[in-house]
């Protein structure tokens, strides 16, 4: 029986095979003994390459389990796939892609109309901006769970074109810097046309969202804004946020959805919601939805319902046919929904109730 090869020497040989990517030999090493299996897999599965000849179903099944932990490099050869109309990128770290893959994403998808980005990380927001700039014919750009480090990207914004036309721009939950998308959408533009806009805003100053809405003006038909009370926590003067989100130029609005997400049971100044609603001047606005997500029913008595009531019952909105107000209660064990909450809200909005256009409901989030 031949002498056993020392483990340290075996690993050195396997590493050498990995450096020269001798896949068949590495595969043989992985089958030789259990002690060599892990080291061999590190090299065999460290780089995954996709091209038009790849068996995607087989690869998806192969890397749906523990082998996925070995993948360190993803290379995509899509040079022959130039007629793609919908592109979805999910769970990738942009800076870890190979240069060739990045180049393909930035140059090969001129015909893409629908872009979906989910759970992607960009260490440099300039790279994210340049990716968005590469979809010059896109009609719809949607995203959620995007992460960008807070570093300067002004130089990338200077490469914006003068015109942006979109049917939909959706910046959903867990995007840690929605202002990057807002600034990309308006910076350096002479014309911005976006029919449907949704932004989930967090702790950032909403000034960039306001600038985008002002420039998009009457082109916006449907607007949805989710905003939590972190925006108010960084301000110390009551009413300081008045006019921060300016809707006065959105005269083409037909539907408006506002989700106010209250994160704390402490008193927070949120009267700005009435100030924002009082700017509405669209003659076409027919439907408004207001969602109030709260941790405690005590906050119902601290909201400035009178400002909301006065703003929405104003005759400046002649087409308004329905105002829906929904209380979103976070589920807590042994704490059910308050049966009196709906009447409390209705009583706090007497002008809307008198017009017969108010609907109040509540549900768990």
């Amino acid at each position: 029986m031949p002498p056993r090869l020392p483990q340290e020497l075996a690993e050195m040989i396997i590493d050498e095979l990995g450096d020269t990517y001798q896949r068949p030999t590495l595969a043989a090493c992985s089958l030789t003994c259990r002690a060599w299996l892990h080291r061999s897999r590190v090299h065999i599965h460290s780089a995954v390459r996709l091209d038009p000849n790849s068996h995607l179903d087989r690869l998806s099944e192969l890397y749906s389990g523990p082998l996925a932990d070995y993948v360190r490099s993803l290379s995509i050869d899509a040079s022959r796939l130039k007629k793609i109309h919908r592109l979805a990128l999910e769970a990738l770290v942009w800076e870890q892609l190979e240069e060739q893959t990045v180049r393909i994403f930035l140059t090969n998808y001129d015909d893409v109309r629908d872009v979906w980005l989910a759970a992607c990380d960009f260490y440099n927001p300039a790279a994210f901006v340049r990716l968005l700039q590469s979809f010059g014919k896109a009609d719809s750009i949607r995203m959620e769970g995007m992460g960008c480090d807070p570093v300067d990207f002004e130089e990338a914004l200077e490469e914006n074109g003068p015109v942006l036309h979109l049917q939909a721009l959706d910046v959903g939950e867990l995007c840690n810097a929605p202002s990057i998308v807002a600034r990309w959408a308006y910076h350096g533009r002479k014309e911005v046309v976006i029919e449907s806009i949704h932004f989930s805003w967090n702790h950032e100053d909403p000034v960039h969202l306001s600038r985008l809405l002002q420039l998009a003006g009457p082109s916006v038909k449907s607007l949805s804004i989710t905003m939590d009370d972190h925006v108010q926590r960084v301000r110390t003067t009551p009413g300081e946020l008045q006019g921060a989100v300016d809707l006065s130029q959105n005269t083409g609005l037909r539907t408006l959805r506002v989700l106010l997400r209250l994160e704390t049971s402490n008193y927070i100044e949120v009267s700005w919601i009435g100030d924002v609603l009082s700017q509405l001047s669209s003659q076409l606005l027919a439907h408004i939805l207001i969602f109030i997500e709260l941790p405690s029913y005590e906050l119902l008595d601290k909201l400035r319902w009178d400002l909301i009531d006065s703003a929405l019952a104003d005759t400046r909105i002649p087409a308004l046919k329905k105002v829906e107000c929904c209380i979103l209660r976070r589920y807590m064990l042994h704490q059910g929904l308050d049966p009196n909450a709906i009447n409390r809200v209705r009583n706090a909005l007497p002008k809307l109730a008198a017009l017969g256009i108010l609907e109040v409901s509540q549900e768990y989030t």
Side-chain angles (χ1 to χ4, degrees):
M1 183 177 182
R4 174 180 294 182
L5 190 66
Q7 181 67 18
E8 184 176 351
L9 178 58
E11 291 179 355
M12 291 177 59
I13 295 174
I14 292 172
D15 289 344
E16 178 64 26
L17 295 172
D19 291 340
T20 55
Y21 204 63
Q22 299 185 41
R23 191 182 182 92
T25 307
L26 287 167
C29 289
S30 69
L31 299 174
T32 301
C33 66
R34 184 177 296 274
W36 295 5
L37 178 61
H38 171 73
R39 198 77 168 197
S40 300
R41 282 182 170 179
V42 165
H43 294 287
I44 293 173
H45 302 287
S46 64
V48 175
R49 179 180 176 84
L50 303 180
D51 58 46
N53 298 318
S54 297
H55 299 284
L56 297 182
D57 290 342
R58 190 181 304 170
L59 284 171
S60 178
E61 181 179 359
L62 179 64
Y63 292 108
S64 63
L67 292 181
D69 292 336
Y70 293 102
V71 180
R72 294 294 179 268
S73 171
L74 174 64
S75 175
I76 302 176
D77 180 4
S79 56
R80 285 182 283 168
L81 306 178
K82 297 185 178 181
K83 299 298 181 182
I84 303 297
H85 284 185
R86 183 179 187 276
L87 181 65
L89 302 180
E90 301 185 36
L92 60 80
V93 178
W94 186 257
E95 281 75 10
Q96 292 182 2
L97 297 178
E98 291 190 356
E99 184 177 346
Q100 178 186 0
T101 301
V102 170
R103 191 182 310 114
I104 288 172
F105 282 133
L106 295 178
T107 61
N108 274 38
Y109 297 116
D110 293 339
D111 289 327
V112 166
R113 299 295 195 273
D114 185 3
V115 180
W116 168 246
L117 306 170
C120 298
D121 287 329
F122 292 78
Y123 299 150
N124 187 349
F128 183 33
V129 167
R130 291 191 175 96
L131 176 64
L132 294 175
Q133 289 169 339
S134 69
F135 303 120
K137 297 180 182 178
D139 295 321
S140 172
I141 295 179
R142 299 169 295 141
M143 65 192 72
E144 66 178 20
M146 303 296 294
C148 287
D149 287 349
V151 297
D152 179 67
F153 60 102
E154 295 289 339
E155 185 176 345
L157 290 174
E158 297 304 321
E159 300 174 22
N160 272 353
V163 175
L164 178 67
H165 284 190
L166 292 174
Q167 292 180 3
L169 176 60
D170 186 339
V171 182
E173 298 291 333
L174 302 177
C175 293
N176 74 329
S179 63
I180 293 174
V181 184
R183 294 175 67 184
W184 160 78
Y186 77 74
H187 185 89
R189 311 286 189 185
K190 294 182 179 179
E191 179 178 288
V192 173
V193 175
I194 309 177
E195 293 186 17
S196 176
I197 295 179
H198 170 246
F199 268 87
S200 183
W201 212 265
N202 42 47
H203 62 279
E204 295 184 302
D205 189 322
V207 61
H208 296 296
L209 174 59
S210 183
R211 290 174 182 172
L212 171 60
L213 292 173
Q214 290 177 48
L215 190 55
S219 71
V220 183
K221 304 297 188 294
S222 176
L223 174 61
S224 172
I225 301 175
T226 297
M227 191 172 292
D228 63 38
D229 57 21
H230 287 87
V231 175
Q232 284 72 50
R233 286 181 195 161
V234 301
R235 306 304 182 92
T236 58
T237 305
E240 190 178 355
L241 274 174
Q242 181 173 347
V245 180
D246 187 350
L247 305 183
S248 61
Q249 302 302 311
N250 305 124
T251 55
L253 269 181
R254 300 185 181 187
T255 62
L256 172 65
R257 175 188 179 275
V258 178
L259 168 55
L260 177 59
R261 179 174 290 146
L262 305 182
E263 303 287 347
T264 176
S265 295
N266 298 326
Y267 177 69
I268 298 295
E269 172 60 51
V270 290
S271 62
W272 60 267
I273 188 172
D275 300 326
V276 170
L277 294 175
S278 68
Q279 301 167 7
L280 293 170
S281 59
S282 172
Q283 302 295 297
L284 304 173
L285 184 58
H287 190 191
I288 296 176
L289 301 94
I290 300 175
F291 295 86
I292 310 290
E293 182 180 313
L294 40 75
S296 168
Y297 282 108
E298 294 178 358
L299 288 179
L300 285 180
D301 299 325
K302 297 178 180 179
L303 293 172
R304 292 297 304 273
W305 295 105
D306 58 324
L307 297 179
I308 297 174
D309 198 32
S310 297
L312 298 186
D314 196 293
T315 55
R316 294 175 298 101
I317 318 176
L320 190 58
K321 296 292 187 285
K322 182 186 292 187
V323 175
E324 295 183 61
C325 184
C326 182
I327 305 164
L328 300 177
R329 183 76 166 90
R330 292 171 202 157
Y331 178 79
M332 297 182 183
L333 191 63
H334 307 308
Q335 294 186 23
L337 298 176
D338 183 351
N340 298 317
I342 291 178
N343 285 333
R344 288 167 64 185
V345 173
R346 289 189 62 85
N347 293 335
L349 300 169
K351 296 178 182 179
L352 287 175
L355 291 175
I357 61 175
L358 177 64
E359 292 185 8
V360 183
S361 61
Q362 69 171 327
E363 58 187 60
Y364 288 116
T365 58

